[in-house]
Amino acid sequence: MRSSPERSLAAYTAPVAAVLAVALTLLLPDNTRLWDALNRAMPGPPDSRVVVVGIDAASLRDYGRIGAWPRDLYAQALSTLNDAGVSAIGVNVLLSDPAVGDTRLQQTFSQPNVVLATAPDEPPGAAQPGWTSPTGVSALNIGADGVVRAFQTAYAPADDPAALTPSFARQLAVAAGRSVPLDVTPRILRYRRTDPDRLPVLSFRDVVNGNVRYGDLQGRVVVLGLTADGMGGPVVRDTTGQVVSPVQLQARAVSSLLDIPFTRLHWGVLAALGALAAVTAVLARGLWGFGLAMLMLGLAAPLWLQNILLPGVTLSLCAIVGTVMVMLERAWNLRNLTTRDPLTGFGNRVAFTRAVEQRWQSRAERPLGLVLVDLSGFRKVNDAYGHAAGDDLLRDLSERIGQYRRRGDLLFRWGPDEFAVLLDNAGPQELAGITQRIQESLDTLTFRDVPLRASVGAARTGPEIRSPTELVEAASRSRYRVKYQRLQRT
């Protein structure tokens, strides 16, 4: 059974929508704005495992500028922390410049649970000769807007991309007992709520003087670094837009590594989901694609809570691509509504007139042939069995006629029970052969107990045919002669 032109286009629009969706998922695998919004709306709980010891303004007033104070202060602070039973200590202060008394820090900075920060442009290794504590590059993935959204467990030097340098946060997580692979893939930096029962930052001065509760530090991972404002460092913000010290962001990075990491969908899975969303929108028709787009966007929130990064914006765009294909399909159908018969898919009488006018000028080189088909008994089928039965009869008739269509020939529904075939470059014998075969095929056409009879007539352009109207009249006379002869024989 022949389907309507509108439905048949889905066989073309669905694959096109799937291909566009796959390309979209490959081009837009990340949804930074969406993940920023989810990070703000659904932050992680306070992490009591990580404690920040900040070199605040009070510490600078007591000890002076960092580069000028005695580095023995670090030994005192680390001694207090180790006495409190901390798990690991990260010193996020660059100590690569030699200073007086550095030799006395060899024992302090040669402990396996102490991690020292190095500058991004420094080669990996000990911060000072004789210091054997692990080191990590102190770097943050700062966006063009100054917002830190991600971090890495390793960074590749510009002069040697194959050599990976561990990050400071990764080394500190490893010192705390967590196995973390080296990877340059950016990871989401999880925003966390503050704990109202705990100070967000312990003062470095208090730690040096031992004015801390050991219970707040036992078993914790400590990140020590500068928190005082106005020290000339880069101004960085988190996803909420608040200015945050780099040491606090490093602490969040460590917390993210100690937690279950976010899982990114494999590109193949993402491409399959995008294609499924687009094809479903095409098959659902109408505006259901917009509802599907909202569903894809809404799924990002519960999956975020399961530590799965779903690019909901990209998948919603894939669903909208499917809806756009449906709209284009509707526009195509509306454009062809005035020239296409929706039942058979043939052109209508308007399309026939346009086709004849377009081909008429070249009739001398490529003669036109016209075959007209008239079906007697069609109205009786409608009256006896209804219009649905009549539609089935017309589809059967159109399929029989379409079997003899050649390349370049055009088919039309001439009237309620009349059809036309416009033949391209038709010779006299070829026209007669096609006419006879169509007639023989329609002679076997039946519908239950209603008698049917088809009459087929044909004409061809020549010197005596001077206009399209004369071609139609000649084919009509031929059809009437066939119909009259059949009546005479009956």
Side-chain angles (χ1 to χ4, degrees):
M1 181 177 292
R2 197 180 189 92
S3 60
S4 69
E6 181 176 354
R7 293 179 181 175
S8 64
L9 287 180
Y12 303 98
T13 56
V16 172
V19 171
L20 293 176
V22 170
L24 190 61
T25 57
L26 297 179
L27 291 174
L28 299 175
D30 296 329
N31 293 165
T32 302
R33 293 184 180 275
L34 172 63
W35 294 338
D36 278 354
L38 293 175
N39 216 356
R40 292 191 298 267
M42 292 180 287
D47 191 354
S48 60
R49 297 168 300 179
V50 182
V51 177
V52 175
V53 173
I55 302 174
D56 53 6
S59 300
L60 295 177
R61 283 196 302 268
D62 286 357
Y63 306 130
R65 189 167 54 87
I66 290 182
W69 71 24
R71 289 186 174 175
D72 289 346
L73 294 174
Y74 294 109
Q76 297 177 34
L78 267 61
S79 177
T80 301
L81 296 174
N82 283 322
D83 291 342
V86 298
S87 173
I89 306 171
V91 181
N92 191 35
V93 179
L94 300 180
L95 301 173
S96 56
D97 294 334
V100 177
D102 280 356
T103 56
R104 297 197 299 269
L105 296 177
Q106 180 174 350
Q107 181 178 0
T108 301
F109 290 150
S110 296
Q111 303 176 43
N113 70 327
V114 176
V115 177
L116 302 177
T118 59
D121 55 350
E122 285 184 329
Q128 287 293 332
W131 297 357
T132 60
S133 289
T135 62
V137 57
S138 179
L140 294 169
N141 292 23
I142 305 176
D145 53 358
V147 175
V148 178
R149 299 179 174 88
F151 69 100
Q152 298 171 204
T153 61
Y155 292 87
D159 55 349
D160 188 5
L164 298 182
T165 303
S167 68
F168 175 77
R170 184 262 180 187
Q171 295 294 77
L172 190 52
V174 170
R178 178 59 61 91
S179 177
V180 181
L182 295 176
D183 191 2
V184 296
T185 302
R187 301 190 181 200
I188 296 292
L189 185 64
R190 189 70 177 266
Y191 173 65
R192 293 187 176 276
R193 298 189 298 269
T194 57
D195 190 347
D197 298 329
R198 295 176 57 240
L199 291 175
V201 178
L202 298 180
S203 174
F204 177 76
R205 179 184 63 176
D206 293 338
V207 174
V208 171
N209 296 328
N211 297 328
V212 293
R213 293 186 303 178
Y214 282 11
D216 294 338
L217 296 171
Q218 187 174 11
R220 306 295 197 270
V221 178
V222 175
V223 186
L224 189 154
L226 183 66
T227 58
D229 297 332
M231 298 304 296
V235 177
V236 293
R237 296 177 173 84
D238 60 11
T239 55
T240 65
Q242 297 178 340
V243 177
V244 183
S245 63
V247 65
Q248 290 176 294
L249 294 177
Q250 291 288 0
R252 293 182 189 177
V254 175
S255 295
S256 299
L257 292 176
L258 296 179
D259 279 340
I260 300 175
F262 279 105
T263 301
R264 290 177 178 267
L265 295 178
H266 187 270
W267 69 268
V269 175
L270 183 59
L273 289 175
L276 179 62
V279 172
T280 302
V282 171
L283 298 181
R285 321 294 293 172
L287 300 178
W288 287 103
F290 290 106
L292 184 60
M294 294 301 296
L295 176 63
M296 294 291 102
L297 193 60
L299 285 177
L303 291 178
W304 173 273
L305 296 177
Q306 301 300 320
N307 291 335
I308 298 176
L309 296 176
L310 180 72
V313 174
T314 300
L315 295 180
S316 65
L317 290 176
C318 293
I320 293 176
V321 166
T323 303
V324 170
M325 297 304 298
V326 173
M327 293 179 178
L328 292 176
E329 181 181 333
R330 294 286 175 83
W332 173 265
N333 288 323
L334 289 174
R335 179 183 178 184
N336 291 280
L337 186 63
T338 57
T339 60
R340 184 70 56 182
D341 175 45
L343 179 64
T344 62
F346 291 178
N348 59 16
R349 200 152 186 162
V350 175
F352 171 79
T353 302
R354 293 178 180 175
V356 173
E357 291 176 351
Q358 291 174 357
R359 298 188 176 189
W360 187 256
Q361 301 300 326
S362 60
R363 67 187 184 281
E365 298 81 15
R366 303 180 68 85
L368 297 178
L370 177 61
V371 178
L372 296 181
V373 179
D374 175 74
L375 179 65
S376 300
F378 171 68
R379 290 181 176 84
K380 294 181 180 179
V381 173
N382 278 340
D383 295 340
Y385 299 104
H387 291 281
D391 291 344
D392 291 339
L393 174 61
L394 291 178
R395 292 190 187 97
D396 187 10
L397 175 62
S398 64
E399 288 179 358
R400 291 173 183 249
I401 297 175
Q403 294 176 357
Y404 304 102
R405 174 186 177 183
R406 308 168 307 158
R407 182 183 297 273
D409 294 346
L410 301 177
L411 305 177
F412 305 92
R413 186 178 178 187
W414 182 262
D417 53 2
E418 298 173 306
F419 293 83
V421 182
L422 186 62
L423 304 178
D424 178 54
N425 196 21
Q429 296 182 351
E430 194 170 17
L431 176 62
I434 293 175
T435 304
Q436 182 179 356
R437 288 193 294 272
I438 294 177
Q439 181 68 71
E440 292 174 351
S441 175
L442 298 183
D443 285 342
T444 60
L445 183 65
T446 59
F447 194 90
R448 301 182 185 179
D449 58 345
V450 178
L452 300 173
R453 183 174 291 111
S455 302
V456 182
R460 179 176 174 271
T461 55
E464 71 283 0
I465 302 296
R466 295 182 296 273
S467 68
T469 302
E470 293 183 0
L471 177 64
V472 174
E473 291 176 351
S476 298
R477 289 194 297 269
S478 173
R479 181 184 55 179
Y480 290 142
R481 283 197 300 270
V482 171
K483 188 173 183 179
Y484 178 77
Q485 293 171 1
R486 293 172 66 90
L487 289 175
Q488 289 297 323
R489 288 196 298 269
T490 304

